[in-house]
Amino acid sequence: MKTKFYIRIVSSLIIICSLSVISNGNSDKKKLTINYNGDAKIEVGSFYAGIEFHHGCPVPQRFSFYYPVANSIDLSTDYWRRDTTYAMDVGLNFDGKELELFNTQSFAFNLTPFSVDFSKEDDQKKVEISYAFTKDKPAIVISYTITNKTAEAKEIELYTRHALAFRTSHTYRLSNKIHSEISNNGEIVFVNHNDYETGNATMFIVNGLELPSDLQIIDIQNKVGDIFQKYFPQKKLVGNPSVNFIYKKVISPGGKLIVNQIIGTCNQDEGKRVTEY
């Protein structure tokens, strides 16, 4: 308990320095980096968004968005048990042999007030999941890197599932009145929240580097053909509405699958302009 408490205190204190450090380069970032492997609560953020993690897991329990109004993705119903639910799911199939869900695994991490890099490896692969923030735009950048450590080419499938319902900041009501759009062959997903209490905000997910080989939006009732339920039938997954992504690639020895997802919120009339940027 003492160690976990220490990590929470330090990560809170160094947030005070984040406004100046975001623009000061790698040298200042290294001075504020905490390296740790174990049970810890992590909170990182920027002017526009924040993320919360528990128990050193590389998958967040909460996304907070501060623009155009304050909304969050948080599926917990009990403040004291908010470490038991997740805002998204992340899984991996390595060479058809290892099907893993990362939500409840503990990874080593490097933490600054404005970024966190998780990593874990075994004799076949290295998994890295990083979270960072754009300085001038309302967005979070998630990077997934899977490295093939074997001497043979391997087929890799990365799965991500994102909850789409918002919690309003002032009532904490779960709002799921949404209309979703897929643009540019799956490069961008727009999720328009048609609710005054959420500021009628649009959530966007932009895929960089690798486009998904499969993309699926699941509404509140329709669960037919849910690809995540197919691959992880016995797991507790985030509820609907949700969006599923699958990325597939054959990786040479020493090669990497690198997937970037940029997630943020804006006004509905800003969505195209922000995502093009």
Side-chain angles (χ1 to χ4, degrees):
M1 290 297 294
K2 291 182 179 179
T3 302
K4 180 164 65 173
F5 183 70
Y6 172 78
I7 290 293
R8 291 177 62 183
I9 288 295
V10 171
S11 62
S12 299
L13 287 175
I14 60 180
I15 286 174
I16 298 171
C17 306
S18 65
L19 297 185
S20 61
V21 173
I22 284 176
S23 60
N24 284 348
N26 290 330
S27 60
D28 285 337
K29 178 179 178 180
K30 289 180 180 179
K31 293 177 184 178
L32 291 179
T33 299
I34 296 174
N35 311 109
Y36 192 70
N37 188 358
D39 193 344
K41 177 183 175 182
I42 302 167
E43 295 181 4
V44 293
S46 70
F47 308 107
Y48 295 104
I51 320 176
E52 179 180 326
F53 305 84
H54 290 263
H55 304 302
C57 298
V59 182
Q61 270 80 15
R62 177 186 177 99
F63 287 103
S64 298
F65 302 106
Y66 313 135
Y67 176 84
V69 299
N71 291 303
S72 64
I73 298 177
D74 182 354
L75 301 181
S76 64
T77 56
D78 183 337
Y79 178 84
W80 300 109
R81 292 175 58 83
R82 64 192 187 279
D83 61 333
T84 63
T85 58
Y86 295 87
M88 60 182 291
D89 301 308
V90 182
L92 179 70
N93 189 338
F94 188 85
D95 197 31
K97 298 175 182 177
E98 299 181 25
L99 193 61
E100 298 181 81
L101 194 66
F102 294 134
N103 291 39
T104 56
Q105 296 189 29
S106 180
F107 281 39
F109 62 86
N110 296 329
L111 172 68
T112 77
F114 46 85
S115 67
V116 59
D117 305 324
F118 294 93
S119 65
K120 192 173 187 178
E121 60 184 305
D122 54 34
D123 59 348
Q124 290 195 316
K125 64 187 182 300
K126 182 176 182 179
V127 178
E128 298 168 280
I129 306 176
S130 300
Y131 299 83
F133 300 85
T134 55
K135 181 180 178 182
D136 300 317
K137 298 295 179 183
I140 302 165
V141 181
I142 309 177
S143 298
Y144 313 84
T145 304
I146 315 299
T147 303
N148 178 10
K149 295 175 59 179
T150 74
E152 300 176 355
K154 300 292 184 181
E155 183 175 54
I156 297 174
E157 295 182 359
L158 176 70
Y159 314 92
T160 74
R161 178 186 183 95
H162 304 261
L164 301 179
F166 278 170
R167 293 268 188 201
T168 64
S169 62
H170 50 295
T171 65
Y172 202 59
R173 179 176 63 84
L174 192 66
S175 174
N176 52 27
K177 299 176 182 177
I178 65 171
H179 171 68
S180 302
E181 306 171 29
I182 299 173
S183 178
N184 296 358
N185 296 317
E187 180 184 0
I188 306 170
V189 174
F190 293 104
V191 183
N192 300 313
H193 283 258
N194 303 312
D195 188 333
Y196 173 79
E197 289 191 23
T198 64
N200 294 307
T202 286
M203 174 183 172
F204 56 83
I205 303 177
V206 180
N207 284 286
L209 296 181
E210 290 284 341
L211 291 181
S213 57
D214 202 350
L215 189 162
Q216 183 183 49
I217 295 176
I218 308 293
D219 62 27
I220 299 174
Q221 278 82 30
N222 181 23
K223 298 181 181 180
V224 178
D226 188 326
I227 53 180
F228 241 87
Q229 295 288 351
K230 173 185 174 182
Y231 287 107
F232 302 97
Q234 305 302 320
K235 301 295 185 179
K236 180 182 178 181
L237 305 174
V238 301
N240 297 325
S242 63
V243 58
N244 298 322
F245 297 98
I246 296 181
Y247 307 85
K248 297 182 181 181
K249 194 170 186 178
V250 176
I251 305 299
S252 60
K256 302 175 186 289
L257 168 66
I258 302 175
V259 172
N260 287 342
Q261 294 176 334
I262 304 171
I263 302 175
T265 56
C266 60
N267 290 307
Q268 291 192 16
D269 60 357
E270 297 176 308
K272 184 176 180 181
R273 182 172 72 254
V274 171
T275 56
E276 283 180 349
Y277 174 85

